[in-house]
């Protein structure tokens, strides 16, 4: 099997059990797997010189709506709260089709890759004009990221008292049928898998109680994970109390939506009882600090979640509610946001980096990713810290979060180069950007 040796890094941040940081460190890749981590390693294969760089596990993104890269900074949604924001964007999304899904996904995935992300989930919950989950899976295959697409859904349209237009909702029987189709066709449970499918009704207020329960039963039957939006803001809590007579955590638990095969996005408004429920049940959280700031949703109690033992990963969220998709900046934002409410010792740079790597891998059920250790998958980010952003830094590891850089030099996924010398190695980025801008202009 071909070998690649990443050699002589200023620091290798392993995120292994001892959280070792190895000065002058090397990482040996053999096939798609890490064969050795240490100092003074040698190879007969290719050598990637990493002097002046910090090497980390590839970052992990646990929440996104890739299709939304086509609706960044839409004027009518720039200053609206969550529900008003959605009502502005639904009619635009209703014009999407397979090409929009494919191109926007590639843009979102490339943007993530350039910010050091090797593994990402995606939450696609609308399928207008023949669009399918297949379109985003094809996009990820070409970009080369490890991909956890989730088959989302909405079934309660305007005529049933819901938010989305009727043209964007589906019949619940058809939703479950297509969930079965995409799981059977694409889900790969094996170690080192490049595609794992999840089941993900959009939110408790966009599908029926029956569909939430049936989705959980189906996911357990198929051995796949469950994902949705939960407890995002005050409106969300008020809706849950009024409509279901209970808080979101109770609703989730009653319908089978807790457990180590479940992760929920946002969870800004979890109370102490719900944090305890998540910790006891192994339920994960996708923390999306930029989106929470952007939509004014609040500050997720990440400090309390982590202290209680809740699994927390990061999510850039959709590019219509961020509007960026840079994961290392998201890690920085997670640190800043905890400090706004809890003080300067609320979260260290190293903890933010851990949440962005190992934390996300745990949320997505990937024991084989998120750390640089023998036998783990070779998902590796190489950060050049010799540039202006970190000039004068005393601590290159902390500087990744506190200073920069905000783009990787190189990114390997399953041992294959996705980014080299700061450029996408798997696709022609200017051509992709032009195609995306052409599609965006056609939607106006
Ligand atoms: Zn979201």
């Amino acid at each position: 099997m071909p070998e690649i040796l990443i050699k002589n890094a200023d620091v290798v941040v392993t995120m292994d059990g001892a959280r070792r940081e190895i000065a002058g460190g090397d990482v040996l890749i053999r096939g798609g797997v890490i064969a050795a981590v240490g100092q003074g390693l040698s190879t007969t294969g290719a050598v990637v010189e990493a002097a002046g760089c910090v090497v980390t596990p590839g970052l992990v993104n646990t929440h996104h709506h890739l299709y939304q890269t086509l609706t960044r900074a839409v004027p009518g949604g720039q200053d609206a709260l969550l529900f008003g924001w959605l009502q502005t964007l639904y009619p635009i999304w209703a014009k999407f089709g397979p090409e929009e899904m494919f191109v926007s996904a590639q843009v979102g995935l490339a943007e993530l890759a350039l910010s050091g992300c090797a593994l990402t989930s995606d939450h696609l919950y609308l399928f207008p004009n023949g669009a399918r989950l297949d379109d985003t899976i094809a996009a990820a295959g070409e970009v080369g990221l490890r991909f956890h697409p989730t088959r989302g859904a909405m079934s309660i349209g305007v005529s049933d008292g819901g938010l989305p237009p009727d043209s964007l909702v589906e019949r619940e029987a058809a939703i479950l049928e297509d969930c079965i189709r995409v799981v059977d066709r694409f889900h790969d449970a094996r170690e080192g898998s490049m595609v794992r499918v999840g089941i993900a009704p959009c939110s408790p207020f966009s599908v029926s109680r029956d569909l939430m329960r049936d989705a959980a039963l189906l996911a357990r039957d198929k051995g796949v994970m469950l994902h949705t939006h939960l407890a995002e803001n005050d409106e969300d809590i008020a809706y849950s109390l009024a409509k279901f007579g209970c808080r979101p955590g109770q609703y989730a638990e009653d319908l089978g939506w807790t457990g180590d095969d479940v992760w929920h996005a946002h969870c800004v408004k979890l109370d102490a009882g719900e944090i305890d429920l998540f910790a006891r049940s192994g339920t994960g959280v996708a923390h999306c600090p930029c989106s929470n700031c952007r939509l004014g949703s609040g500050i997720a109690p990440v400090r309390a979640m982590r202290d209680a033992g809740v699994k927390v990963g990061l999510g850039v969220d959709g590019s219509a509610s961020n509007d960026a998709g840079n994961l290392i900046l998201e890690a920085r934002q997670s640190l800043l946001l905890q400090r706004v409410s809890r003080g300067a010792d609320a979260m260290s740079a190293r903890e933010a980096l851990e949440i962005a790597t190992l934390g996300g891998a745990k949320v997505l059920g990937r024991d084989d990713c998120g750390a640089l250790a023998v036998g783990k998958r070779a998902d590796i980010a190489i950060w050049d810290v010799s540039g202006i952003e970190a000039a004068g830094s005393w601590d290159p590891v902390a500087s990744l979060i506190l200073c920069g850089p905000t783009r990787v030099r190189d990114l390997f996924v399953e041992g294959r180069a996705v980014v080299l010398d700061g450029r996408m190695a798997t696709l022609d980025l200017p051509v992709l950007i032009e195609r995306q801008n052409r599609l965006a202009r056609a939607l106006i």
Side-chain angles (χ1 to χ4, degrees), residues 10 60 97 130 138 163 172 177 180 201 299 350 357 368 372 383 412-413 424 434:
D10 285 7
V60 179
L163 278 179
E172 297 201 336
E177 259 173 46
I180 293 168
I299 300 172
R350 281 173 171 76
T357 52
D368 53 346
L372 303 181
W383 308 87
F412 292 89
V413 181
M424 291 301 296
E434 169 54 28

Side-chain angles (χ1 to χ4, degrees), residues 6-151:
I6 299 168
K7 189 142 187 65
N8 206 26
D10 285 7
V11 187
V12 173
V13 183
T14 65
M15 293 296 167
D16 65 7
R19 302 293 186 274
R20 284 183 307 151
E21 296 178 2
I22 304 169
D26 307 335
V27 182
L28 181 65
I29 303 170
R30 187 177 298 133
V33 177
I34 294 172
V37 181
Q39 294 167 315
L41 304 179
S42 60
T43 181
T44 53
V47 173
V48 176
E49 182 57 50
C53 297
V54 173
V55 175
T56 69
L59 307 190
V60 179
N61 182 45
T62 60
H63 187 64
H64 208 330
H65 312 284
L66 290 166
Y67 75 91
Q68 293 179 5
T69 61
L70 264 171
T71 49
R72 301 190 214 239
V74 168
Q78 284 176 17
D79 306 320
L81 294 176
L82 176 65
F83 286 9
W85 172 84
L86 282 169
Q87 280 164 326
T88 300
L89 290 165
Y90 281 139
I92 305 173
W93 295 337
K95 298 180 198 170
F96 280 35
E99 188 185 6
E100 283 79 6
M101 291 301 179
F102 178 85
V103 173
S104 58
Q106 286 212 327
V107 166
L109 291 162
E111 187 182 18
L112 283 171
L114 289 166
S115 71
C117 175
L119 162 61
T120 184
S121 63
D122 184 43
H123 188 186
L124 181 56
Y125 52 84
L126 41 86
F127 301 89
N129 308 307
R132 299 189 301 171
L133 199 70
D134 314 37
D135 304 320
T136 59
I137 294 170
E142 289 188 8
V143 176
L145 291 199
R146 205 180 293 282
F147 195 41
H148 284 208
T150 61
R151 205 298 182 185

Side-chain angles (χ1 to χ4, degrees), residues 1 17 23 48 77 96 115 150 154 168 184 237 274 309 323 325 360 397 427 437 440:
M1 264 187 284
V48 176
F96 280 35
S115 71
T150 61
M154 299 190 292
L168 280 181
D184 288 349
I237 302 295
E274 289 168 321
D323 297 306
V397 178
L427 53 78
N437 284 334

Side-chain angles (χ1 to χ4, degrees), residues 32-384:
V33 177
I34 294 172
V37 181
Q39 294 167 315
L41 304 179
S42 60
T43 181
T44 53
V47 173
V48 176
E49 182 57 50
C53 297
V54 173
V55 175
T56 69
L59 307 190
V60 179
N61 182 45
T62 60
H63 187 64
H64 208 330
H65 312 284
L66 290 166
Y67 75 91
Q68 293 179 5
T69 61
L70 264 171
T71 49
R72 301 190 214 239
V74 168
Q78 284 176 17
D79 306 320
L81 294 176
L82 176 65
F83 286 9
W85 172 84
L86 282 169
Q87 280 164 326
T88 300
L89 290 165
Y90 281 139
I92 305 173
W93 295 337
K95 298 180 198 170
F96 280 35
E99 188 185 6
E100 283 79 6
M101 291 301 179
F102 178 85
V103 173
S104 58
Q106 286 212 327
V107 166
L109 291 162
E111 187 182 18
L112 283 171
L114 289 166
S115 71
C117 175
L119 162 61
T120 184
S121 63
D122 184 43
H123 188 186
L124 181 56
Y125 52 84
L126 41 86
F127 301 89
N129 308 307
R132 299 189 301 171
L133 199 70
D134 314 37
D135 304 320
T136 59
I137 294 170
E142 289 188 8
V143 176
L145 291 199
R146 205 180 293 282
F147 195 41
H148 284 208
T150 61
R151 205 298 182 185
M154 299 190 292
S155 63
I156 303 176
V158 168
S159 59
D160 293 320
L163 278 179
D166 291 342
S167 65
L168 280 181
V169 304
E170 301 173 272
R171 287 186 303 108
E172 297 201 336
I175 290 166
L176 290 168
E177 259 173 46
D178 198 52
C179 285
I180 293 168
R181 180 187 71 82
V182 292
V183 168
D184 288 349
R185 174 142 185 218
F186 296 109
H187 181 71
D188 179 0
R190 292 172 297 181
E191 190 167 324
S193 162
M194 292 298 289
V195 178
R196 285 193 189 163
V197 177
I199 294 175
C202 184
S203 68
F205 54 78
S206 51
V207 298
S208 73
R209 180 185 287 265
D210 285 347
L211 185 70
M212 290 294 286
R213 184 181 286 113
D214 289 347
L217 292 172
L218 176 60
R220 303 260 152 68
D221 183 48
K222 293 285 186 185
V224 301
M225 293 189 73
L226 286 164
H227 180 50
T228 194
H229 294 98
L230 202 79
E232 181 165 352
N233 65 6
D234 288 329
E235 287 171 286
D236 198 326
I237 302 295
Y239 187 92
S240 184
L241 289 170
K243 178 95 177 173
F244 308 132
C246 62
R247 290 185 53 89
Q250 180 75 55
Y251 190 70
E253 186 180 28
D254 289 349
L255 297 175
W257 277 77
T258 51
D260 61 8
D261 53 356
V262 183
W263 84 106
H264 293 290
H266 300 301
C267 301
V268 173
K269 298 295 176 181
L270 290 193
D271 67 12
E274 289 168 321
I275 290 171
D276 183 54
L277 168 67
F278 275 43
R280 278 188 283 111
S281 58
T283 308
V285 170
H287 172 47
C288 307
C290 286
S291 172
N292 298 157
C293 290
R294 162 76 164 77
L295 292 174
S297 301
I299 300 172
V302 171
R303 181 72 276 142
M305 291 178 193
R306 295 263 304 171
D307 290 347
V310 176
K311 294 183 294 190
V312 180
L314 287 182
V316 297
D317 203 359
S319 311
S321 64
N322 187 327
D323 297 306
N326 183 309
L327 194 50
I328 193 73
L329 283 176
E330 202 71 39
R332 174 182 167 84
Q333 189 71 17
S334 73
L335 171 146
L336 295 176
L337 201 50
Q338 289 309 297
R339 292 182 177 201
V340 166
S341 59
R342 306 281 298 243
D345 59 352
M347 183 183 287
S348 70
R350 281 173 171 76
E351 184 175 12
L353 193 58
E354 179 176 321
I355 293 170
T357 52
L358 192 60
K362 285 182 177 170
V363 166
L364 295 182
R366 296 301 300 242
D367 294 338
D368 53 346
C369 299
L372 303 181
V374 173
K376 300 284 185 186
R377 312 315 296 187
D379 292 2
I380 303 170
I382 303 179
W383 308 87
D384 182 349

